[in-house]
Amino acid sequence: FSNTYRAFNGNLDSFSPPSNNSMLSRLASIRAEISLSGINPSDTVSMQGIALAPPVGTRLPPALDVFANVDDLPIELMDTAVFWHIPRSAGTTMKHVLATCLGRVITTEMGGTAGHNLDERLDVIKQPHGMFLNVDTTTKNGLKHANDLGLAQSKMADVVFTPYVQEAAILFQKKHRGRFFTIVRNPVDRLVSLYYYKRLATWEPNYNPLIAEQTLEDFVVTSGENWMVRTLTGCMTGPLQIKHLNAAKEIFRTKFLIGLLEAKTESLRRFEEFFGWKFPSPVSQTCK
């Protein structure tokens, strides 16, 4: 997946322009001022090297030892699938596919509603659109609550949805491992989509009305630094360096089963085959 590395390096030249050509042309024109990758321009490594594979021997944070390598097969009985939800990259679609179409029990923000954040034991919430556990794995407090209730050990969840990587390690142990998979998207498309979403998403707890007044260029300046590299490496503050990018690439290479948004159908088939998921009834076949 050569496109995987493009998801980190912000190389606008490698993408065909979306329909809004004038907007993307402007975004490309300010590339000299804004690094979508978040890499510190003072680094002495050439920008061409950013697109290369990580150096041999790049080490992963020890906290990630509780996540199985993608090539560590067969999948063990106590392993749990973990979908890393990258904003504006088909996460909501994947929740629908897994809960409604595949009939999987999943953990999402649904588990934090109706006072379930105070529940003292795991339980299944049955909804018309699927089954959910009563823990919210999309927040740090929710991850702690899920760990306190023994989520991974219970094997009650088929898939854990979370926007966290390092923090999600709290749920797992070497005998109860997590297995990451995700869908990545052209980073420019994702950022433009995020801009328009945040302008309108008044229902979101962290809604910022000031974004509605921003231009796309202003939004890129304030929000364009690489969330993916920061989240993968746990470096949420301070300048990013080449070592962070290399670590992020190595985490992605070894720990993640990767799908591409522009190849959604093929990616879903890949996930199905890898995890052994089957469509449970003729009716749910329509989800394909």
Side-chain angles (χ1 to χ4, degrees), residues 11-26:
N11 185 353
L12 302 185
D13 296 331
S14 63
F15 298 111
S16 57
S19 57
N20 196 335
N21 292 324
S22 60
M23 184 177 296
L24 269 296
S25 296
R26 178 56 183 150

Side-chain angles (χ1 to χ4, degrees), residues 256-267:
F256 280 82
L257 180 66
I258 300 165
L260 302 176
L261 185 62
E262 58 265 37
K264 190 186 299 181
T265 299
E266 180 181 343
S267 297

Side-chain angles (χ1 to χ4, degrees), residues 17-277:
S19 57
N20 196 335
N21 292 324
S22 60
M23 184 177 296
L24 269 296
S25 296
R26 178 56 183 150
L27 196 59
S29 72
I30 61 174
R31 182 178 57 182
E33 305 170 31
I34 305 163
S35 172
L36 290 182
S37 68
I39 301 302
N40 187 348
S42 65
D43 283 331
T44 56
V45 181
S46 71
M47 295 305 286
Q48 183 179 2
I50 290 177
L52 300 177
V56 175
T58 299
R59 294 186 177 183
L60 304 187
L64 299 185
D65 289 347
V66 295
F67 296 104
N69 286 0
V70 70
D71 61 356
D72 185 356
L73 297 172
I75 295 176
E76 295 183 3
L77 178 63
M78 297 306 294
D79 290 351
T80 301
V82 181
F83 184 83
W84 182 36
H85 188 169
I86 301 170
R88 312 307 298 161
S89 301
T92 300
T93 298
M94 287 301 299
K95 291 173 187 176
H96 172 72
V97 168
L98 287 162
T100 306
C101 302
L102 290 174
R104 302 291 137 179
V105 178
I106 66 176
T107 67
T108 68
E109 63 279 0
M110 175 71 70
T113 61
H116 289 301
N117 59 309
L118 301 176
D119 289 354
E120 297 182 354
R121 64 182 180 85
L122 292 171
D123 201 2
V124 175
I125 305 170
K126 294 183 179 180
Q127 297 287 335
H129 52 289
M131 293 186 292
F132 306 81
L133 279 190
N134 58 332
V135 288
D136 179 5
T137 49
T138 67
T139 69
K140 292 181 181 179
N141 286 338
L143 287 168
K144 183 180 184 304
H145 181 224
N147 179 57
D148 291 342
L149 299 187
L151 175 63
Q153 295 86 342
S154 75
K155 283 299 293 179
M156 291 177 67
D158 295 312
V159 184
V160 171
F161 277 79
T162 186
Y164 297 101
V165 174
Q166 302 277 339
E167 295 85 349
I170 191 176
L171 298 177
F172 302 101
Q173 303 166 352
K174 290 189 177 181
K175 292 184 178 179
H176 304 91
R177 301 180 300 177
R179 281 189 174 269
F180 274 122
F181 70 113
T182 193
I183 291 180
V184 295
R185 183 179 188 179
N186 174 323
V188 176
D189 289 350
R190 190 182 79 82
L191 194 60
V192 172
S193 176
L194 186 64
Y195 167 67
Y196 284 108
Y197 178 78
K198 283 185 172 291
R199 282 166 59 96
L200 300 174
T202 56
W203 56 89
E204 290 282 7
N206 59 351
Y207 172 71
N208 181 358
L210 296 179
I211 294 178
E213 307 299 324
Q214 287 184 321
T215 64
L216 174 60
E217 180 176 344
D218 290 338
F219 179 77
V220 171
V221 171
T222 57
S223 307
E225 196 174 35
N226 200 316
W227 177 88
M228 292 176 66
V229 170
R230 289 194 179 278
T231 303
L232 285 166
T233 61
C235 180
M236 302 308 294
T237 60
L240 290 174
Q241 300 175 353
I242 292 298
K243 65 179 181 180
H244 298 114
L245 180 65
N246 285 331
K249 288 180 180 180
E250 186 66 6
I251 292 169
F252 230 28
R253 185 184 73 82
T254 58
K255 298 293 184 180
F256 280 82
L257 180 66
I258 300 165
L260 302 176
L261 185 62
E262 58 265 37
K264 190 186 299 181
T265 299
E266 180 181 343
S267 297
L268 290 174
R269 287 175 180 162
R270 190 177 197 210
F271 298 153
E272 264 191 277
E273 182 176 349
F274 184 85
F275 289 107
W277 294 327

